Amino acid sequence: MSFNFYKYQGAGNDFVMIDDRNQTFPVSEETIAKLCNRYFGIGGDGLILLQNDAESDFKMVYFNSDGRESTMCGNGGRCVVRFAHNLGLIQNETKFHAIDGIHEAIIEEDKIHLKMTDVLEVFANMDFVFLNTGSPHHVEFVKNVEKVDVQKIGARIRSGEPYFEEGTNVNFIEITGNNSLSIRTYERGVEGETLACGTGVTAAAIAAFETGKLHENEIQVKAVGGNLSVKFERTLAGHYENIWLTGSAEFVFKGEIYF
Ligand SMILES: N[C@H](CCC[C@H](N)C(=O)O)C(=O)O
């Protein structure tokens, strides 16, 4: 069996993309894990199926590189919008269906703006912030983000109390200015550091605002693989709405895979 695939990346978070509008892709944990494997397959932090959808322009189905279907992927969402645009399915605006609901997006030449789901609850204590931006995120503030042992500390937090098997993504952030921060992320389901994590970048910006470390509602975020920006509105009830994640999302190569 063979399938055409496309490789996309957003700020270095990379994805195997499949045009599955005919819904013939053989979904299995083993197959997807192999396709995402950087030695035995194509390589990627995740795999995304673009499928037809009755209520929107298309549907995005996201799998982590461990082969298991996951929650929302912000960089993957921006990449699937670029993919749909390159396939000629959409013009410069779109609404598509993902696991956490309908997302709007705006396509520009060099960047994609993706509207993220509302955040209705932000838990914060002295040590960390926890919130769900379409995927669960544990956020810690550090002095020097380059020096953090993301693999070791991230893995421990990801599986430790209170997250356990279901787990969480783990973000380490350093405030770098009045409206800027740097981030490194340990991603659940990749089980390692990725060069960027879109829902993590979104969580970091909101966590910095919620804890009073930043006071602007448009924040520049420097991830290892590239720069992203997040803007949002905080309501009087403490909800975060009208959240937009912006950054590049690029086609890298296409091919045919036999398996
Ligand atoms: N690994 C994440 C999903 C992908 C998140 C990340 N790639 C993003 O851009 O949001 C999880 O299992 O919660």
Side-chain angles (χ1 to χ4, degrees), residues 177-179 205 208-219 232:
N178 290 336
N179 70 335
F209 189 89
E210 181 72 10
T211 55
K213 292 180 175 63
L214 290 178
H215 305 286
E216 310 274 335
N217 70 338
E218 184 159 355
I219 294 173
F232 50 79

Side-chain angles (χ1 to χ4, degrees), residues 30-46:
E30 185 192 358
T31 299
I32 292 171
K34 184 171 179 192
L35 292 180
C36 290
N37 186 292
R38 297 188 187 283
Y39 300 98
F40 298 104
I42 302 159
D45 292 329

Side-chain angles (χ1 to χ4, degrees), residues 13 62 64 70-75 135-136 169 187-188 197-199:
N13 202 191
Y62 182 75
N64 279 317
S70 180
T71 45
M72 182 55 185
C73 177
N75 288 325
S135 284
N169 300 284
E187 261 200 56
R188 174 185 72 167
C197 174
T199 50

Side-chain angles (χ1 to χ4, degrees), residues 55-256:
E55 293 124 40
S56 69
D57 291 338
F58 60 88
K59 182 180 179 184
M60 160 187 175
V61 186
Y62 182 75
F63 301 85
N64 279 317
S65 56
D66 64 2
R68 295 154 86 174
E69 187 173 352
S70 180
T71 45
M72 182 55 185
C73 177
N75 288 325
R78 294 185 303 101
C79 286
V80 78
V81 166
R82 178 70 73 196
F83 182 40
H85 185 260
N86 290 348
L87 289 174
L89 300 187
I90 58 176
Q91 301 309 315
N92 297 333
E93 293 187 5
T94 183
K95 283 185 182 173
F96 68 95
H97 199 158
I99 194 165
D100 62 344
I102 296 288
H103 289 261
E104 296 173 50
I106 298 166
I107 299 103
E108 292 185 10
E109 190 66 34
D110 60 342
K111 60 175 84 85
I112 303 282
H113 307 268
L114 175 67
K115 189 174 185 185
M116 305 298 282
T117 192
D118 292 348
V119 173
L120 304 181
E121 196 178 3
V122 181
F123 169 84
N125 66 21
M126 291 299 288
D127 303 316
F128 67 90
V129 181
F130 179 78
L131 63 163
N132 191 307
T133 52
S135 284
H137 286 278
H138 173 108
V139 179
E140 293 193 3
F141 297 95
V142 296
K143 285 254 176 300
N144 191 331
V145 75
E146 285 83 32
K147 293 203 179 337
V148 176
D149 185 342
V150 173
Q151 186 63 40
K152 183 174 161 213
I153 304 170
R156 189 177 67 222
I157 295 169
R158 172 258 184 270
S159 303
E161 191 168 353
Y163 308 116
F164 302 122
E165 171 52 28
E166 186 183 340
T168 181
N169 300 284
V170 185
N171 304 273
F172 303 95
I173 66 179
E174 177 183 343
I175 304 298
T176 53
N178 290 336
N179 70 335
S180 63
L181 61 90
S182 291
I183 186 170
R184 289 177 65 196
T185 301
Y186 176 98
E187 261 200 56
R188 174 185 72 167
V190 176
E191 302 313 331
E193 181 174 6
T194 55
L195 299 187
C197 174
T199 50
V201 161
T202 306
I206 291 172
F209 189 89
E210 181 72 10
T211 55
K213 292 180 175 63
L214 290 178
H215 305 286
E216 310 274 335
N217 70 338
E218 184 159 355
I219 294 173
Q220 304 306 316
V221 181
K222 182 177 179 305
V224 175
N227 299 325
L228 294 160
S229 67
V230 181
K231 65 181 182 181
F232 50 79
E233 290 162 12
R234 187 181 192 275
T235 71
L236 290 176
H239 299 166
Y240 286 83
E241 298 176 354
N242 209 15
I243 304 169
W244 288 82
L245 171 69
T246 296
S248 64
E250 293 166 12
F251 167 67
V252 184
F253 63 89
K254 68 178 184 179
E256 191 174 7

